[in-house]
Each structure stands twice: as structure tokens, then as C-alpha cells.
Amino acid sequence: MEMKQLAQSRWMKLIPLAFITYSLAYLDRANYSFGAASGLARDLNITASASSLLGALFFLGYFFFQIPGALYAENRSAKKLVFWTLILWGGLATATGMVNDISVLYVIRFMLGVVESVVMPAMLVFLSHWFTKKERSRANTFLILGNPITVLWMSIVSGYLVNSFGWRMMFIIEGLPSIIWAGIWWMMVTDHPKDAKWLTTTEKKDLEEALLEEQKGLKPVKNYKEAFKSPKVITLAFQYFFWSIGVYGFVMWLPSIIKSASNMDIVAAGWLSSVPYALAALLMVIVSYYSDRTQNRKGFVWVSLLIGAIAFFGSYIIGSSNFWLSYSLLVIAGGAMYAPYGPFFAIIPEILPRNVAGGAMALINSFGALGSFIGAYIVGYLNSATGSPSASYIFMSSSLVIAVILTLITKTSSSDEATNKVAC
């Protein structure tokens, strides 16, 4: 009933803008894997351990400014924050293609993480101002779809760019769109429904009332200190830490794993690297739809991550004896790890009031950034130290198992007992 009363134009106006913005952010963080696999290390005399550190440094920078970003987005303006970060991260990504010294590259990778750290919490806060509880998993999913879909086409396009122009031009070409997009973002976005000229007075009123009504059922939390001490928030933060180890160990090193395991060129490795993200995009849409339909968040999260853990372990068991079967399990692992992002990020605004929900999401995302740093670094280190991805498969599988356990022990609603199973 409520859904029919709210403006459907929000989906067509805002979701494409959120999707493209996050896509550009993800492009400029994930394309390092292609530079690393196609000459960057050789040209700058980067050792295997230094390459792992460079791949991971982004996430260390990403760790530090999540909470300030969420606070600014909630209390000031997500629109302004994202506008300036688009320009800055586009410039830093482009500068990556111009470096001749590894020390400069260290600084760029760290600063790129700092600049992009505010984007995810700012966008989650932004969407929470526009979409209700019944819509939020789908809205979050369409935002985060910018992740796998970007890696999907980036894996193909970056392979061709590197092959045709070299790794330097790949970074330069892929950094420029963010700077251009900043102007479009500024012209098209408003922080709150009340400021949107494309909504009628009735549509603004109905949406604001629906969002305010949701807040009435939540237990008051007076400040961020109290929110950050919540056992639910702490457990979800550690859950996301271990989940992110698996995701970013996978994202940062999949092209290198495929290239070394199959002896294919970078273009072929790029095509194969794109397949898990096609599956991820499909599963994210399906899972978010059923999560909103059933209002079951937790069940979809832990089941998806358990499937990912099993797939990684299966790939380890098979090893190098059958590349295509091992690769197929990696595709399943990648898709399963991405599937529950929408439901996961819908949990916090449903258990905490708006005054602290943004900061809590930022804290959780900060732990995810730390897990991403560890995943990207250790997977790269294990691959180079052992000469095989087998050890990294076990590492990522174990991390996902811990994430599953932490999900199961987190009580996210009074009806958890009934929703631990995935309902259709």
C-alpha cells in the first residue's frame, strides 16, 4: 500500500546516478590489478611483496575517513562531498599512469583510498534519505551493483587498453570520466526530497512522512559513542572485516591468478575475469528482491557467504589438475560473495535510528576496508611466495566461514529465530 503512494520516479532519477558514481569509484580502485598483471611492476622495478603492498595500500587509506564522511553526509551534504571526491579520485587515478617512481605510487594509492573512503557511507546515507525500509535492500543493491558490473566491463576494456596502449594510458583514460561526471552529479542531485523540483508537493510530503514513520519504531540512541558500543554493530563490523578479506583478495588478484594458472594473455584473462561479476550482478538483484519481499536480511547473507566458502575450498581441492573446473568454482565463489550486499547494508538503518545509522554504517565499512587491506596484501603475498593460488583459496575460504559464524550469532531482529532460514 505504502509503496504505491510513493513516487516511482525516484528509481529512474536517482538510482542511475548512484550506480554510475559508485561504478566510477570502483573502476579507479580495481584497475590496479590489471596494471600489476601487465607491466607496471616490471617498468617501475617493483618486487612481488611491494606489488602486494601497493595493491593493499588503497584500503589502508580507505580505512581512515569513513566515519567523518558519514557525519558530513548526514549533517551537511552528501551531494557536495561526492562532487569533490569525484574530481579528486579521478585526478589521482589519472596520475597513476604518469608515475616513474614507486615512492610516488605509494602516496597515490594511499591517497586514492583516503579520497574514496567517504563515497560508500555518503551514498548509503544519501539513499536512506530517499528510500524506505521496504525498498532499501534493492536501492542499496543497485548502488553496489556498480562494483561487479564495473569489474565485469573493466576486466574486458582494461585488457584491451593495456594490450593496445600500455598500462599508463589505461590509468589515464579510465581516470578522466570521474572528473567529467562530477559536473553531471552536481546538476542532477539534491540531498533531500523536499528540495527536489521533479517531485510534486504531495509526493514530497508522502515520502517524508513514510521515512519519519519508520523512525518511530526504533529505540532511541543518543550519540555515536552509544551506537558504536552496540554488540550488534561490533559483531557486524567484524563480520564485514572477514567477508571483505575474501572479496578483495579475489578482486585484486583474480586476473593474475587466471593468467598464471592458464598461461593465457592479458586479454583472454580479462574476459575470464569478467564472468564471476556477471553472475554476481544477477545474484545481487535476485537476493535483494527476495530479501525485501520477505524482510529477511540475515538468512540471505550467511547462506550466500557459506556457498562462497565451499566454492573456494573446492577450488583448492581441485588445484591445478583441472583448470576449467577450478575456474568454474571461482566463478561461483565470486558471485556468492557479492550476492548479499544489499540485504547486509539494509540491516543497520533498520536497527538504529537515523541520527546514528550513517556513522554505524561507516564504522562497519571501515572494518571492511581493513579486511580488504589484509585480503589484498596476504593473497598477493601467498600467491607470490608459494607460486600457486591454493594457499590463498584456503585463506579466503576460512575468512568467509568466520563471517558466516558471526552473521549467525548476530541478532538483527526479534524474529531472527524464524528468519535464519532463507524464505521465498
Side-chain angles (χ1 to χ4, degrees), residues 222-239:
K222 60 184 178 181
N223 54 39
Y224 284 105
K225 182 179 179 180
E226 185 176 329
F228 293 170
K229 289 164 61 178
S230 162
K232 295 176 184 178
V233 172
I234 294 169
T235 308
L236 288 172
F238 279 102
Q239 186 270 11

Side-chain angles (χ1 to χ4, degrees), residues 66-349:
Q66 299 272 329
I67 295 173
L71 292 176
Y72 188 93
E74 185 65 66
N75 299 318
R76 296 288 193 86
S77 171
K79 174 182 175 176
K80 290 180 182 178
L81 187 62
V82 172
F83 170 77
W84 286 111
T85 54
L86 275 162
I87 294 171
L88 289 170
W89 92 56
L92 286 165
T94 299
T96 305
M98 303 176 185
V99 297
N100 292 300
D101 188 289
I102 188 174
S103 60
V104 176
L105 189 56
Y106 279 129
V107 174
I108 289 175
R109 287 296 297 174
F110 179 78
M111 289 306 301
L112 187 63
V114 170
V115 171
E116 285 194 23
S117 67
V118 304
V119 178
M120 181 68 163
M123 296 301 289
L124 289 170
V125 167
F126 172 74
L127 291 178
S128 73
H129 292 167
W130 283 91
F131 296 93
T132 65
K133 176 180 178 179
K134 291 182 179 179
E135 307 166 313
R136 205 162 284 139
S137 178
R138 279 170 292 155
N140 290 345
T141 290
F142 284 119
L143 166 69
I144 302 168
L145 269 174
N147 176 324
I149 289 180
T150 298
V151 179
L152 192 160
W153 66 259
M154 180 208 75
S155 297
I156 299 168
V157 171
S158 295
Y160 280 108
L161 286 175
V162 166
N163 198 52
S164 301
F165 305 109
W167 64 267
R168 290 186 181 278
M169 284 304 299
M170 179 200 72
F171 283 116
I172 292 169
I173 291 170
E174 292 181 348
L176 293 175
S178 297
I179 299 171
I180 297 168
W181 184 252
I184 298 172
W185 168 267
W186 184 259
M187 291 186 291
M188 299 292 290
V189 168
T190 56
D191 280 300
H192 298 279
K194 63 184 175 63
D195 300 318
K197 295 180 180 179
W198 45 272
L199 289 177
T200 66
T201 302
T202 301
E203 287 173 331
K204 293 177 185 179
K205 181 173 177 289
D206 289 346
L207 183 53
E208 292 284 0
E209 286 178 355
L211 292 167
L212 285 172
E213 185 65 27
E214 289 182 353
Q215 299 296 303
K216 293 179 181 178
L218 297 176
K219 180 181 176 182
V221 178
K222 60 184 178 181
N223 54 39
Y224 284 105
K225 182 179 179 180
E226 185 176 329
F228 293 170
K229 289 164 61 178
S230 162
K232 295 176 184 178
V233 172
I234 294 169
T235 308
L236 288 172
F238 279 102
Q239 186 270 11
Y240 198 48
F241 169 85
F242 286 104
W243 178 4
S244 297
I245 286 177
V247 171
Y248 283 95
F250 182 85
V251 169
M252 292 303 295
W253 299 108
L254 183 62
S256 297
I257 289 171
I258 291 174
K259 189 169 180 288
S260 63
S262 63
N263 294 315
M264 295 179 181
D265 62 28
I266 192 64
V267 173
W271 277 98
L272 289 180
S273 296
S274 71
V275 177
Y277 304 105
L279 178 62
L282 176 64
L283 291 178
M284 286 175 74
V285 172
I286 294 170
V287 166
S288 67
Y289 172 79
Y290 282 105
S291 173
D292 274 347
R293 182 177 173 181
T294 63
Q295 287 299 291
N296 176 8
R297 308 304 188 195
K298 196 169 90 171
F300 284 100
V301 174
W302 75 260
V303 170
S304 298
L305 297 184
L306 182 60
I307 291 170
I310 293 169
F312 271 134
F313 186 72
S315 198
Y316 161 75
I317 293 295
I318 293 165
S320 58
S321 62
N322 188 327
F323 170 76
W324 289 108
L325 182 55
S326 179
Y327 167 74
S328 297
L329 287 168
L330 287 181
V331 170
I332 294 170
M337 284 191 296
Y338 275 95
Y341 271 119
F344 179 79
F345 280 107
I347 291 173
I348 288 296

Side-chain angles (χ1 to χ4, degrees), residues 335-396:
M337 284 191 296
Y338 275 95
Y341 271 119
F344 179 79
F345 280 107
I347 291 173
I348 288 296
E350 294 173 5
I351 62 175
L352 291 175
R354 180 179 291 179
N355 66 309
V356 294
M361 286 190 289
L363 177 69
I364 290 168
N365 211 37
S366 294
F367 273 71
L370 209 54
S372 302
F373 171 82
I374 291 171
Y377 181 76
I378 294 183
V379 169
Y381 172 79
L382 289 173
N383 290 344
S384 62
T386 65
S388 163
S390 295
S392 62
Y393 293 161
I394 287 293
F395 176 61
M396 291 185 281

